[in-house]
Amino acid sequence: MMPGNAGLMRDINRTNVMELIRTQSPVSQADMAKIMNLQPSTVLRIIKELEAEGFIYQSGIGPVSPKGGRKAGLWTLNAEGAFAIGVDLGAEEIITLLVDLTGNIVDRVCVPSPSGESSETVMDTVIGSIEQVLDKHRDIAGRIIGIGIGLPGRFDRDNGISRYAMNFPNWRDVPVVRIIEERFGLPTELEGDMKLMALGEKWFSEGGGAKNILCIGYRRGIGLGIVINGQIVQGRNDISGDLGHIVVNPDGKQCHCGRRGCLEAVASESAILEWLTEYIKRNGVAVFDGIINSADEVSMHNVYLALKENNRLVVDRVKESGKFLGRVLSDLVRIFDPETIIFGGKILEATPVMLQTIKETYESEQPNYSNEFPEILSSKLADNSIALGSAILILSQLFQVAER
């Protein structure tokens, strides 16, 4: 074996041990050797390295094997062995998380997003959010291994540049990675928000066995993260999952992408807000019973309040969006054949109406040969899903071998 190949094999064995401990802990050295088909001495060497570096610890003692001998030590990830910061740079808010090695949220900062301002203002807000987290956790600064940032749009991933971000009108060719690395001196990664949502859902669903997952994010835009055979789909030009710009109504409203009747233009949060604003200008606010008193007060916060009050106009408009999503979902299932479909977005927390309508429409749109439906769920990670995925983008480098 060539020296380079030997080094790669050591890296593979090390990251495989880390991944096995992450997903099956507490686990013994003997079981690891058996599962991975490695020599016990190889596993022992790796365990001692990881323990010395603080990534794992012996959490208990297992039973004596049927062959006798000493009881086996059981190994578990050390949650405080490493930390990562994850940022969800959204159009409505910027969520910044500090996450430990096991994926637990240690701290959370959420601030309004100045998405309509200059890119400099947006990045200053991101920096300020990260500084808030770091200032509160200076005692673990040396164990923070990097920063992950998720946002929509197109990227030059190799150079860490965000070329274009939907719903950020003054955002072009922003060197996000360089700005963050120069400010904080930490390795920084940039990735699409829906791919990060998929990464987060995949990380936390390892025990569930689902290898084919569709993750649909619903907010100002509508995006899709795709997991096929356990791998997140990237695509050649990073436009895989651009669900919001599938045309669902050729005679519908003009979309900001230039096409007419895109899913985003007729079914997104932005579409709901635009429709309600136009309704108020034509008909006034009496139907809202004091929840919304003018067109200037149309916001998703007030939409959620209206949904909780079961306002019929708002409920019906949300159902209309749910029907569009359900029809598109029917086609997606025919293409990708997933086991699980996960929807994320605050509106799903505010009311069961959206997910219920999606499911009902999806089932009614099935072809007559369909007999098994995938599981359709609301994300358990809620509005933290993208920020969590951003942090896991960094942490996962400890559990997988980098491409060479």
Side-chain angles (χ1 to χ4, degrees):
M1 181 179 290
M2 296 293 290
N5 290 338
L8 177 60
M9 186 57 66
R10 284 194 296 270
D11 288 347
I12 291 172
N13 289 339
R14 177 186 166 96
T15 56
N16 284 345
V17 167
M18 283 281 282
E19 179 69 1
L20 190 61
I21 294 173
R22 182 181 80 82
T23 57
Q24 299 192 29
S25 67
V27 59
S28 70
Q29 173 194 335
D31 285 341
M32 283 187 266
K34 183 177 179 180
I35 292 169
M36 298 172 61
N37 194 26
L38 292 174
Q39 291 294 324
S41 59
T42 299
V43 175
L44 177 60
R45 174 183 58 79
I46 294 171
I47 285 174
K48 292 303 181 185
E49 287 178 1
L50 295 175
E51 182 184 29
E53 293 169 23
F55 292 133
I56 64 173
Y57 69 100
Q58 187 173 319
S59 59
I61 301 294
V64 176
S65 75
K67 296 180 180 179
R70 294 188 302 173
K71 293 182 179 181
L74 300 177
W75 296 92
T76 300
L77 282 186
N78 176 16
E80 296 186 352
F83 298 84
I85 291 173
V87 180
D88 173 10
L89 209 175
E92 294 284 349
E93 57 191 9
I94 296 171
I95 299 173
T96 302
L97 302 179
L98 177 65
V99 177
D100 70 23
L101 186 55
T102 62
N104 292 318
I105 297 173
V106 177
D107 203 353
R108 181 182 192 270
V109 171
C110 181
V111 297
S113 175
S115 55
E117 304 295 329
S118 68
S119 61
E120 290 82 7
T121 299
V122 175
M123 288 305 300
D124 284 346
T125 306
V126 171
I127 288 169
S129 183
I130 295 170
E131 285 174 340
Q132 285 189 55
V133 171
L134 291 174
D135 286 346
K136 288 190 287 182
H137 299 278
R138 293 179 180 177
D139 56 320
I140 61 166
R143 283 173 281 160
I144 298 174
I145 63 174
I147 300 171
I149 298 179
L151 72 166
R154 300 288 297 276
F155 308 93
D156 175 352
R157 190 176 287 99
D158 291 340
N159 294 301
I161 297 172
S162 173
R163 296 295 183 195
Y164 167 72
M166 276 80 77
N167 297 310
F168 288 74
N170 303 308
W171 185 280
R172 291 290 187 280
D173 297 328
V174 181
V176 175
V177 168
R178 179 179 62 77
I179 291 170
I180 297 299
E181 288 187 340
E182 287 181 355
R183 174 61 185 83
F184 297 105
L186 288 168
T188 301
E189 299 281 343
L190 181 66
E191 185 54 273
D193 53 359
M194 289 301 100
K195 292 180 177 66
L196 292 170
M197 178 185 174
L199 178 62
E201 296 292 347
K202 176 178 178 289
W203 176 285
F204 286 101
S205 69
E206 290 288 354
K211 296 296 183 184
N212 301 284
I213 307 169
L214 298 183
C215 297
I216 298 174
Y218 182 88
R219 40 190 188 179
R220 280 200 191 182
I222 302 173
L224 172 67
I226 308 164
V227 179
I228 299 295
N229 293 327
Q231 300 298 313
I232 295 173
V233 175
Q234 291 283 6
R236 183 170 67 92
N237 293 313
D238 281 332
I239 60 172
S240 62
D242 196 11
L243 184 63
H245 299 289
I246 292 175
V247 174
V248 294
N249 181 7
D251 298 322
K253 188 177 180 64
Q254 183 88 28
C255 180
H256 64 81
C257 77
R259 306 176 83 189
R260 185 171 291 279
C262 291
L263 182 64
E264 186 172 309
V266 301
S268 66
E269 286 185 351
S270 295
I272 292 173
L273 295 177
E274 288 177 16
W275 186 89
L276 289 173
T277 299
E278 292 170 3
Y279 176 92
I280 289 172
K281 290 177 179 178
R282 292 193 309 268
N283 303 289
V285 297
V287 72
F288 298 105
D289 297 323
I291 297 172
I292 300 174
N293 296 300
S294 71
D296 292 336
E297 292 185 12
V298 174
S299 67
M300 287 310 301
H301 173 74
N302 286 334
V303 167
Y304 303 148
L305 292 178
L307 287 169
K308 289 177 181 178
E309 294 296 323
N310 199 32
N311 181 277
R312 181 48 46 193
L313 180 75
V314 177
V315 168
D316 287 347
R317 182 59 186 83
V318 168
K319 283 184 174 181
E320 184 179 344
S321 288
K323 289 176 182 177
F324 277 114
L325 287 163
R327 292 187 192 112
V328 170
L329 188 58
S330 180
D331 292 332
L332 290 176
V333 170
R334 304 272 71 75
I335 296 169
F336 294 108
D337 192 21
E339 298 130 85
T340 304
I341 299 160
I342 300 172
F343 279 86
K346 280 191 172 182
I347 200 166
L348 296 154
E349 300 172 57
T351 175
V353 167
M354 174 67 88
L355 193 62
Q356 183 179 345
T357 304
I358 291 169
K359 289 181 177 179
E360 290 173 353
T361 306
Y362 166 76
E363 292 176 6
S364 69
E365 293 279 334
Q366 291 305 299
N368 56 19
Y369 58 79
S370 179
N371 55 9
E372 288 190 18
F373 296 161
E375 194 173 21
I376 302 175
L377 306 168
S378 178
S379 173
K380 292 180 181 179
L381 306 180
D383 60 344
N384 290 326
S385 61
I386 294 166
L388 259 175
S390 301
I392 289 165
L393 178 69
I394 302 299
L395 294 173
S396 63
Q397 295 171 13
L398 298 173
F399 302 89
Q400 63 188 20
V401 178
E403 294 182 5
R404 295 188 174 184

